[in-house]
Amino acid sequence: MAKYAFVGDSVGSITMLRCDTQGVQFINIFKKHTTSIRCLKWVEEHQLLFSGSCDQTVLVWDIGGKRGTIYELQGHNNKVSSLAYANHTQQLISGAEDSVIVLWEMNAMRKEVPAWVENNSCQLCQRPFFWNFRAMMDQRQIGIRQHHCRHCGKAVCDTCSANRINIPIMGFEFDVRCCDPCYKQLQNVERPSLATFHDAKHSIVNMDMDENRKLLLTVGQDRIIKIWDLSAIWA
């Protein structure tokens, strides 16, 4: 029976390999992270690959869906260093150098983050971005910086995206930049958190979990090993 291996590199790419009695076969390369991969977790039952990176992001790659679906999980403020998965609760556990352990609800219906649109002018007010010299001269305006709405992906200026809001269904547990129309839309819908945050009290280097005994082990940069009882959380 074939098995799969995943290798992350220093530029944020992940190589997928198929391993069987015939040898090792290259399958694909996944690119989304912006810097080096720190940890990977393959959940064969659900055909999901989780990756944590120095870009402070956890990505969920739906390998089994075969549609290239990628979900983002934004809940850390430092490098994501370790991942674990609890099958019986369908929760991903991420640890990072920000001393926080996050439990992500993976049985929730999540949405992909849209691709960012690149444009020469703000798609809402039409003010030119600083590289659009012709429009700057025609409108007699100084060019402005391009930003992106995390909800719709549009290219917008700072004035048209001054609001911040959390979007848990897209993995944004913290407030992120949002354009004015999307902000008004999101304000009127419920946005329950799809993760819980726990203070590890040390910067995490590695983790391991004994799901049957409901124990989580963390190793910190302080050279201390901690064992956490998860029974209260999973009661």
Side-chain angles (χ1 to χ4, degrees):
M1 182 178 178
K3 297 290 185 179
Y4 296 99
F6 300 89
V7 182
D9 62 27
S10 60
V11 297
S13 299
I14 302 170
T15 302
M16 181 179 181
L17 304 171
R18 186 177 188 270
C19 308
D20 56 23
T21 56
Q22 303 300 316
V24 179
Q25 177 186 1
F26 169 80
I27 300 297
N28 204 351
I29 293 181
F30 306 125
K31 296 181 179 180
K32 179 73 173 179
H33 285 292
T34 58
T35 186
S36 61
I37 305 296
R38 288 289 300 273
C39 50
L40 296 167
K41 181 64 178 179
W42 169 240
V43 182
E44 188 169 7
E45 179 182 352
H46 302 292
Q47 296 284 288
L48 293 175
L49 174 67
F50 300 95
S51 58
S53 169
C54 291
D55 61 13
Q56 306 178 15
T57 302
V58 176
L59 294 182
V60 185
W61 309 80
D62 186 2
I63 307 297
K66 298 181 180 179
R67 296 180 180 177
T69 304
I70 307 171
Y71 302 106
E72 289 190 27
L73 303 177
Q74 301 273 4
H76 288 288
N77 290 313
N78 209 327
K79 302 171 184 176
V80 180
S81 54
S82 193
L83 299 169
Y85 187 82
N87 284 288
H88 78 291
T89 60
Q90 295 186 45
Q91 288 178 313
L92 175 72
I93 303 175
S94 61
E97 293 186 8
D98 59 1
S99 304
V100 175
I101 299 171
V102 185
L103 275 68
W104 303 90
E105 302 296 336
M106 297 313 303
N107 56 358
M109 294 296 294
R110 295 183 178 272
K111 292 177 60 178
E112 279 190 282
V113 175
W116 285 2
V117 177
E118 299 300 329
N119 206 49
N120 290 324
S121 303
C122 174
Q123 292 184 277
L124 295 180
C125 70
Q126 305 307 315
R127 289 187 62 187
F129 295 132
F130 63 83
W131 59 82
N132 190 355
F133 297 112
R134 174 169 293 183
M136 288 165 57
M137 295 178 63
D138 291 343
Q139 299 179 28
R140 296 183 179 180
Q141 291 188 14
I142 297 175
I144 53 178
R145 183 181 175 186
Q146 176 181 254
H147 298 279
H148 290 91
C149 172
R150 300 306 191 269
H151 185 250
C152 68
K154 286 183 178 178
V156 290
C157 66
D158 184 62
T159 302
C160 293
S161 60
N163 295 300
R164 303 291 186 272
I165 196 169
N166 67 325
I167 319 174
I169 196 172
M170 287 185 170
F172 297 118
E173 292 290 332
F174 303 147
D175 290 351
V176 291
R177 182 182 295 274
C178 199
C179 69
D180 292 345
C182 288
Y183 181 74
K184 292 178 182 178
Q185 174 189 342
L186 291 169
Q187 274 190 312
N188 296 321
V189 299
E190 293 185 3
R191 305 184 315 281
S193 176
L194 299 177
T196 57
F197 296 79
H198 307 271
D199 185 3
K201 301 186 185 301
H202 67 170
S203 180
I204 296 173
V205 175
N206 204 354
M207 292 192 311
D208 196 14
M209 180 177 62
D210 186 331
E211 189 172 352
N212 293 328
R213 297 168 65 187
K214 300 180 180 180
L215 296 176
L216 179 71
L217 180 146
T218 60
V219 180
Q221 290 185 352
D222 54 8
R223 301 183 181 182
I224 294 176
I225 297 174
K226 296 183 179 182
I227 299 176
W228 306 84
D229 184 358
L230 301 177
S231 57
I233 298 175
W234 290 342

